[in-house]
Amino acid sequence: MELWKSHVRAELFHRDCKQKDPFSGLFDKVSRLEEMLAFHVKLWQNMDTCSSKENGSSRCPDEGGSLYLRMNELEFLNQQLKHKISDLTSNMYLKEAELQYCHSQVARYRTEAVVLAQGASCLKADVEEYEYQLECQSKELTALRLEHSSLREELTATNLHNEQLLDRWLEEKKEEAERINKYNATQERWQRLAGRLKKRYRLRSRPACVANSSSEIKPTESKTQRPPS
């Protein structure tokens, strides 16, 4: 609520209290006077009826009937007091019942408060345990992150080293393949050269073989021929 609204509300409440204070007890007094007036009117009517029935011979015991009026007022007040006492007694019983109910509610709320306090203490203990576990897990996570970063660096270095080794191995294999190719080419050249030499050697050695074979065949023929008869 704004400040000026609260100020206006307080001033109006103060004004109402000032205006109601002079008249606070007048309504109760007026109601009691009206009741007494009605009682007096009824009482005088009863007195008039009694005097008319007795032909005016017997009046009230005292002059003006003040004692009779006073006695009836006391009886009326006594009845009012009895009604008030009965009302107050019933109100007291009701208040005692309400008080017992309030006591039962207070006891129930107290037990509920105790149960809730126990639950709150358990929850507080659980929260502290969870906080401790969270702190431990955060520390473990920090350590794992550091380890992960170191392992990643090691993995990067290992991959770089493997790439270097692979490049070196490929270079070595390439050089070995070149050497093998050179060796194979040399072997092919030597084989071709050896084949040519063998071919030339065969071509050169073939006439000698033919000559030798012819010289060996002629004597055999002469030996096999028969003389003429």
Side-chain angles (χ1 to χ4, degrees):
M1 186 181 289
E2 297 180 0
L3 184 62
W4 67 272
K5 290 183 179 180
S6 61
H7 178 70
V8 170
R9 184 178 179 182
E11 290 295 329
L12 290 173
F13 182 75
H14 185 64
R15 186 198 65 183
D16 293 336
C17 290
K18 278 185 177 181
Q19 291 179 357
K20 289 179 181 179
D21 284 336
F23 306 99
S24 60
L26 291 177
F27 296 102
D28 295 332
K29 290 180 182 179
V30 168
S31 63
R32 286 196 297 271
L33 289 173
E34 286 179 352
E35 289 178 357
M36 292 301 293
L37 179 61
F39 174 71
H40 286 166
V41 170
K42 185 177 180 181
L43 185 60
W44 282 110
Q45 288 177 358
N46 291 328
M47 288 174 65
D48 291 335
T49 54
C50 289
S51 62
S52 62
K53 286 180 180 179
E54 294 177 358
N55 295 320
S57 60
S58 63
R59 293 174 63 88
C60 291
D62 56 345
E63 291 293 333
S66 60
L67 182 61
Y68 179 73
L69 182 62
R70 185 63 180 168
M71 289 175 62
N72 289 320
E73 286 180 357
L74 291 174
E75 289 178 358
F76 179 71
L77 292 174
N78 192 9
Q79 289 178 0
Q80 285 186 346
L81 287 174
K82 286 181 180 179
H83 287 299
K84 286 183 180 180
I85 289 169
S86 64
D87 292 336
L88 290 173
T89 305
S90 62
N91 289 326
M92 186 177 67
Y93 289 151
L94 290 174
K95 295 296 182 182
E96 286 180 356
E98 290 178 357
L99 185 62
Q100 290 178 359
Y101 177 74
C102 291
H103 282 306
S104 64
Q105 291 293 108
V106 167
R108 185 171 66 85
Y109 291 149
R110 187 176 294 170
T111 54
E112 289 180 357
V114 171
V115 173
L116 291 174
Q118 292 176 356
S121 63
C122 293
L123 289 174
K124 187 176 180 180
D126 293 336
V127 167
E128 290 178 356
E129 185 178 0
Y130 291 150
E131 287 179 353
Y132 177 72
Q133 291 179 359
L134 182 62
E135 185 178 359
C136 294
Q137 288 177 0
S138 63
K139 290 180 180 179
E140 291 179 358
L141 181 61
T142 304
L144 289 173
R145 284 179 178 174
L146 292 174
E147 187 177 0
H148 182 263
S149 62
S150 62
L151 289 174
R152 183 177 289 176
E153 291 177 356
E154 291 179 359
L155 180 62
T156 304
T158 305
N159 289 328
L160 181 62
H161 184 65
N162 287 331
E163 289 178 356
Q164 291 177 357
L165 288 176
L166 183 61
D167 293 336
R168 190 181 301 171
W169 182 77
L170 289 174
E171 290 293 332
E172 290 177 357
K173 290 298 179 181
K174 187 176 180 180
E175 291 176 358
E176 185 177 358
E178 289 178 356
R179 287 196 300 270
I180 291 171
N181 290 329
K182 288 180 180 179
Y183 177 76
N184 290 330
T186 305
Q187 289 294 325
E188 287 179 359
R189 284 198 298 272
W190 278 108
Q191 287 177 2
R192 285 197 298 270
L193 183 59
R196 289 176 183 176
L197 291 174
K198 285 180 180 180
K199 190 182 287 185
R200 289 181 181 179
Y201 178 75
R202 287 175 182 174
L203 290 173
R204 289 180 181 177
S205 62
R206 184 176 294 175
C209 291
V210 170
N212 291 327
S213 62
S214 61
S215 60
E216 288 177 357
I217 291 169
K218 285 180 179 180
T220 55
E221 289 178 355
S222 62
K223 286 180 181 179
T224 55
Q225 288 180 357
R226 291 179 180 181
S229 53

